[in-house]
Amino acid sequence: MPQFIESIKLLDGQFYHLPQHEERRRKTLLHYFGMGPQLTLSQILKRELIPFTGLYKCRVVYNEDSQFVEFIPYTANQIFSLKVVQDDSIDYSFKFENRKRLKELFELRGSCDDIIIVKNGCITDASYANVVFKRKNEWITPKTYLLNGTMRQQLIKDNMIVEEEIREKDIPKFESVKLINSMLGFDGVELPITNIFS
C-alpha cells in the first residue's frame, strides 16, 4: 500500500499554503484510492500539539485511512553546486513517501551538493525541490517537472515565475539557478549557472 507525504512550513505557529497542500492530498487520495479525504489537513493538525516558536517542517504521512504527523526543526541545506544526472524512466508525479529512486540519483552527485534530474533530454527537478532559472530579469521553471510543488504553483499564480521547456543543452543560456519548495520559498540561494556540472 503506497504512502504519501505533505511537507508543510510551520513558522511561529503559522502554517503556510495549507490550501495547496490540501488540494494535492485530495487529488492523490482520489487517484490512488478513489476517495476524498475523510478529514482535512486543518482538522488533522488541530489535534496536534503544535510548536509556536521557530521554523519547523510539518511532515504528514498518509494513505487512505491513516495519517502520522511530526514536526521537525528546519534548517535549509547549504547548496553551492548541482550535478546533472539522467533518468528517462523516473516517475514522481505524486509525493510518495518512498523516495528510493531519488535517493539513488542523489548518490550520483559526486562532490556537488545536490542534483538536477534530466528526463528525455529535459530538465525536471532537484532531489527535493523544483528549480527556477534566471534569464535577464525573468525567472523560468521547467514545464517538464517531476512534481508540481506547492511553492511552484504559488509562484506561477503570482506571476513571479513562468513555465518553459528547458532542455539540458539550454542551461548555458541562463545566468543563475535556485531551488524552490514549500520550506525554502523563493528565498533560496541563487547560484551562478557555472555551478551546474555535467
Side-chain angles (χ1 to χ4, degrees):
M1 178 187 304
Q3 297 235 98
F4 304 90
I5 56 173
E6 288 297 327
S7 298
I8 305 164
K9 179 179 178 180
L10 174 65
L11 177 60
D12 295 336
Q14 180 182 346
F15 292 103
Y16 282 71
H17 305 297
L18 265 185
Q20 291 93 330
H21 290 285
E22 188 65 77
E23 179 62 10
R24 181 166 63 192
R25 179 169 166 266
R26 184 188 70 80
K27 287 180 177 177
T28 300
L29 289 169
L30 279 172
H31 180 85
Y32 274 88
F33 307 110
M35 56 176 278
Q38 296 175 351
L39 295 173
T40 66
L41 281 174
S42 294
Q43 290 170 324
I44 292 166
L45 295 172
K46 279 179 183 174
R47 300 174 169 182
E48 301 294 322
L49 187 60
I50 296 167
F52 280 91
T53 305
L55 176 61
Y56 290 82
K57 178 192 287 188
C58 171
R59 188 170 182 268
V60 182
V61 182
Y62 68 96
N63 56 31
E64 82 274 28
D65 57 14
S66 67
Q67 54 272 321
F68 167 76
V69 180
E70 61 181 339
F71 298 96
I72 305 166
Y74 184 80
T75 303
N77 294 329
Q78 296 297 305
I79 303 295
F80 300 106
S81 58
L82 299 166
K83 171 78 171 175
V84 174
V85 299
Q86 311 278 336
D87 189 330
D88 291 344
S89 60
I90 188 169
D91 176 19
Y92 196 69
S93 49
F94 291 89
K95 199 168 173 65
F96 298 102
E97 184 188 29
N98 182 348
R99 292 172 45 88
K100 180 175 182 289
R101 184 56 185 154
L102 289 170
K103 289 176 181 177
E104 290 170 350
L105 291 172
F106 182 73
E107 291 304 316
L108 302 177
R109 73 192 183 284
S111 59
C112 292
D113 300 305
D114 205 340
I115 57 174
I116 290 181
I117 301 164
V118 172
K119 182 175 181 178
N120 299 320
C122 293
I123 302 295
T124 64
D125 293 334
S127 69
Y128 67 95
N130 296 123
V131 293
V132 289
F133 293 87
K134 188 177 184 181
R135 184 178 58 211
K136 297 182 181 177
N137 292 319
E138 188 175 41
W139 285 98
I140 296 125
T141 192
K143 280 186 176 180
T144 49
Y145 56 82
L146 295 178
L147 181 74
N148 192 10
T150 56
M151 181 53 57
R152 181 185 186 278
Q153 294 174 50
Q154 186 64 48
L155 292 171
I156 290 172
K157 182 179 177 183
D158 294 342
N159 297 312
M160 293 180 67
I161 65 175
V162 295
E163 289 184 296
E164 260 182 40
E165 182 179 277
I166 304 175
R167 302 189 70 80
E168 182 180 0
K169 66 182 182 182
D170 298 326
I171 291 175
K173 299 176 183 176
F174 296 96
E175 301 155 25
S176 57
V177 62
K178 66 166 65 178
L179 306 186
I180 57 169
N181 64 23
S182 61
M183 296 302 301
L184 294 170
F186 198 49
D187 300 323
V189 175
E190 184 177 341
L191 302 177
I193 214 71
T194 51
N195 286 30
I196 299 176
F197 300 91
S198 298

